Amino acid sequence: MKFSTFLILLAFVACAPFCLAGVITLTNADNGRSINAHVGDNVRVTLTPQSANGIKSSWSEVASSDTHVLTKTNEAQTPSGGVSATFQASELGNGDLQATATCVSCNNANSWTVSVTIV
């Protein structure tokens, strides 16, 4: 085997878990789901605020129950009360992604949770 071919093969093997990573997108509608991801996958969460009868909710930050398994790589709050966050599936294991929508003008709150198993 030529040395250059060996280097390309070595780079691919080292890169494979991350270069071939997938993207899983989660939204408000995914509340309560259980999903599988692979090491290196990115899990993107986009939660939009809900409004009804003039009452508006605002989302908290999205949190991981195990930051070693699901590592947050970025997050942004929107002026309208939404939130988006990206987590990387860093190692084998289980973790929950969680956020809470709090009513801006009342004391009501709703939880959002998705259970993620890294396989």
Side-chain angles (χ1 to χ4, degrees), residues 57-80:
S57 65
S58 181
W59 284 101
S60 68
E61 291 186 5
V62 182
S64 169
S65 64
D66 188 333
T67 58
H68 296 287
V69 172
L70 292 163
T71 306
K72 188 184 296 185
T73 58
N74 69 35
E75 182 167 57
Q77 300 281 125
T78 66
S80 64

Side-chain angles (χ1 to χ4, degrees), residues 97-110:
L97 296 176
Q98 303 166 325
T100 303
T102 304
C103 175
V104 174
S105 59
C106 59
N107 291 326
N108 192 17
N110 293 312

Side-chain angles (χ1 to χ4, degrees), residues 6-112:
F6 174 75
L7 288 178
I8 291 170
L9 183 59
L10 181 62
F12 178 76
V13 170
C15 170
F18 302 101
C19 297
L20 301 176
V23 177
I24 300 167
T25 302
L26 302 172
T27 67
N28 297 47
D30 294 304
N31 185 29
R33 283 187 61 201
S34 294
I35 65 166
N36 289 332
H38 294 86
V39 172
D41 284 354
N42 287 307
V43 180
R44 291 186 185 153
V45 179
T46 302
L47 302 174
T48 56
Q50 305 297 307
S51 296
N53 301 324
I55 298 173
K56 181 179 158 188
S57 65
S58 181
W59 284 101
S60 68
E61 291 186 5
V62 182
S64 169
S65 64
D66 188 333
T67 58
H68 296 287
V69 172
L70 292 163
T71 306
K72 188 184 296 185
T73 58
N74 69 35
E75 182 167 57
Q77 300 281 125
T78 66
S80 64
V83 64
S84 63
T86 302
F87 294 82
Q88 185 173 44
S90 300
E91 62 182 53
L92 298 177
N94 299 299
D96 290 338
L97 296 176
Q98 303 166 325
T100 303
T102 304
C103 175
V104 174
S105 59
C106 59
N107 291 326
N108 192 17
N110 293 312
S111 295
W112 179 93

